[in-house]
């Protein structure tokens, strides 16, 4: 498995991580097989959030870890906190928030909840899940300091924060923010589109995120790409989707060339970017994990990267 730097450090993490949002639907035995398959593929990075499955995903993970061949100390486990669940809109793997909260006490309580559900004494990383307009900067600092001093959390980061929000938190805390988890993939390319269409009056030239891609690259912040094979947020995957014939034709062409599946090629497209992006796959199907992981070993040419970008319906000025 290809390795990338953890933030601005010299520590190495795999270029792919396993997201466990859908683990709530698995039995502990099934989940253990998922963990073992990922680990055998070189993926020892686990991404969670306290809201996944309304907490059940982390409970299943904790039980699965006791059955799996892999040990806790062999894994890098992170979770995200800060979203208060809206039960009326949440069901199964699809969980939605009613509000956000980054007070000191909520962060501390949320982390304790994650630790209890997972059956572990510490998390390798905690990320603030989505920017809260009412975020308590002093509370975030106090919570992070307590979590670090107690040994409950090693590293910190954010998810879905724009550059100003990221820097505002960074300026307020003692620790260095290592991550920003953002949606990115062949059908969610806004961070790339904006840069390509600089100073052009079209929709792709609209800055939706404050130049996040370049900001994170300059600051040596690890971007974690969530929902890498999805179009929209939760609409579905573009892989083998008849609504995306040209993209799937190009994916098939390159999959045949490299002797892999389409998922691996779509993953390789993300990992080709020089920002050292870590891709978070959310599948709970061992065969899909094995195929996607092969993307870390594919070095697409620059032309192949652009061919995929264009086949996805994007244009160059």
């Amino acid at each position: 498995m290809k390795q990338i730097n953890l933030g601005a450090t010299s520590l190495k993490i795999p270029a792919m991580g396993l997201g466990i949002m859908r683990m709530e639907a698995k039995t502990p035995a099934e989940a253990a097989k998922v963990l073992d398959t990922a680990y055998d593929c070189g993926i020892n990075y686990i991404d969670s959030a306290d809201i996944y499955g309304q907490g059940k995903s982390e409970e299943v993970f904790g039980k699965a870890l006791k059955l799996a061949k892999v040990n806790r100390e062999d894994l890098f486990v992170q979770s995200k906190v800060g979203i208060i669940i809206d039960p009326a809109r949440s069901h199964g793997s699809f969980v939605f928030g009613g509000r956000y909260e980054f007070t000191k006490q909520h962060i501390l309580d949320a982390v304790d909840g994650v630790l209890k559900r997972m059956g572990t004494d510490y998390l390798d990383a905690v990320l603030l899940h989505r920017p809260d307009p009412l975020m308590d900067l002093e509370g975030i600092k106090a919570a992070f300091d307590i979590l670090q001093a107690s040994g409950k959390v090693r590293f910190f980061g954010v998810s879905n924060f724009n550059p100003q929000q990221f820097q505002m938190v960074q300026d307020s805390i003692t620790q260095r923010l290592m991550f920003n988890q953002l949606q990115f993939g062949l059908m969610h390319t806004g961070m790339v589109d904006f840069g390509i269409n600089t100073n052009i009056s079209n929709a792709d030239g609209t800055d939706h995120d404050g130049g996040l891609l370049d900001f994170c690259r300059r600051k040596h912040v690890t971007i974690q790409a969530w929902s890498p094979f999805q179009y929209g947020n939760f609409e579905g995957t573009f892989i083998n989707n008849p609504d995306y014939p040209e993209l799937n034709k190009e994916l098939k062409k390159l999959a045949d060339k490299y002797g892999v599946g389409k998922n691996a090629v779509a993953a390789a497209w993300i990992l080709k970017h020089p920002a050292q992006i870590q891709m978070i796959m959310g599948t709970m199907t061992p065969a899909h994990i094995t195929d996607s992981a092969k993307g870390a070993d594919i070095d697409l040419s620059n032309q192949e990267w652009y061919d995929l970008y264009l086949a996805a319906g994007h244009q160059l000025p």
Side-chain angles (χ1 to χ4, degrees):
M1 171 62 63
K2 174 184 176 182
Q3 301 287 299
I4 62 174
N5 287 343
L6 169 61
T9 75
S10 60
L11 299 176
K12 297 295 184 180
I13 56 175
M16 294 186 185
L18 178 69
I20 64 168
M21 183 178 78
R22 296 177 177 86
M23 193 168 276
E24 55 88 22
K26 298 294 181 181
T27 66
E30 291 171 335
K33 184 176 180 180
V34 170
L35 295 178
D36 286 336
T37 300
Y39 190 77
D40 289 343
C41 291
I43 301 171
N44 67 337
Y45 200 106
I46 305 298
D47 171 69
S48 182
D50 61 350
I51 65 168
Y52 288 169
Q54 301 191 56
K56 186 179 177 182
S57 292
E58 293 182 337
E59 291 177 358
V60 174
F61 170 80
K63 294 175 182 177
L65 192 55
K66 296 178 181 178
L67 302 176
K69 293 180 293 185
V70 60
N71 298 316
R72 167 65 183 93
E73 55 269 24
D74 296 324
L75 298 176
F76 190 109
V77 181
Q78 77 175 25
S79 189
K80 301 179 289 291
V81 302
I83 297 180
I84 307 298
I85 291 176
D86 180 358
R89 295 197 300 149
S90 301
H91 56 89
S93 298
F94 296 97
V95 183
F96 299 91
R99 64 182 175 87
Y100 311 133
E101 182 167 341
F102 290 148
T103 60
K104 169 187 171 183
Q105 196 58 52
H106 178 75
I107 294 172
L108 294 176
D109 290 344
V111 170
D112 282 344
V114 173
L115 295 176
K116 181 178 180 180
R117 287 188 293 273
M118 287 188 166
T120 184
D121 296 328
Y122 71 98
L123 292 172
D124 293 282
V126 161
L127 279 57
L128 303 179
H129 204 159
R130 282 194 176 273
D132 176 14
L134 305 177
M135 69 177 73
D136 176 3
L137 296 174
E138 292 183 359
I140 293 172
K141 172 179 167 40
F144 281 11
D145 286 345
I146 292 171
L147 291 171
Q148 185 179 56
S150 65
K152 291 182 179 180
V153 179
R154 298 174 62 203
F155 300 104
F156 299 88
V158 297
S159 180
N160 307 297
F161 277 49
N162 68 36
Q164 289 294 331
Q165 294 163 339
F166 183 100
Q167 197 60 53
M168 181 171 63
V169 174
Q170 182 62 86
D171 291 344
S172 303
I173 63 175
T174 305
Q175 302 77 14
R176 181 160 187 163
L177 294 174
M178 297 291 186
F179 314 93
N180 196 354
Q181 191 171 120
L182 307 160
Q183 186 174 10
F184 184 63
L186 273 164
M187 290 307 302
H188 196 95
T189 58
M191 293 191 294
V192 169
D193 302 339
F194 166 64
I196 291 176
N197 290 272
T198 295
N199 200 34
I200 297 178
S201 299
N202 60 21
D204 286 341
T206 303
D207 181 5
H208 291 284
D209 54 46
L212 256 177
L213 187 62
D214 295 335
F215 172 83
C216 290
R217 191 176 177 186
R218 287 191 298 107
K219 296 289 187 179
H220 302 289
V221 176
T222 297
I223 293 176
Q224 296 178 323
W226 60 269
S227 290
F229 307 137
Q230 302 286 312
Y231 64 93
N233 288 332
F234 299 107
E235 284 85 346
T237 178
F238 56 79
I239 303 291
N240 295 324
N241 189 323
D243 291 336
Y244 302 97
E246 292 302 316
L247 175 56
N248 277 281
K249 179 181 178 181
E250 192 64 29
L251 287 169
K252 178 67 165 55
K253 172 185 170 183
L254 293 173
D256 290 344
K257 173 183 175 179
Y258 290 103
V260 297
K262 293 179 181 178
N263 289 62
V265 176
W269 185 86
I270 294 172
L271 301 184
K272 173 73 175 177
H273 196 281
Q276 291 205 95
I277 296 170
Q278 183 188 49
M279 191 194 84
I280 305 296
M281 67 174 82
T283 180
M284 291 288 104
T285 304
H288 291 169
I289 293 173
T290 300
D291 176 49
S292 297
K294 295 176 182 177
D297 299 323
I298 298 174
D299 185 15
L300 296 174
S301 69
N302 286 11
Q303 186 61 59
E304 289 169 341
W305 189 91
Y306 274 98
D307 288 344
L308 286 165
Y309 180 76
L310 296 172
H314 311 300
Q315 297 181 344
L316 300 180

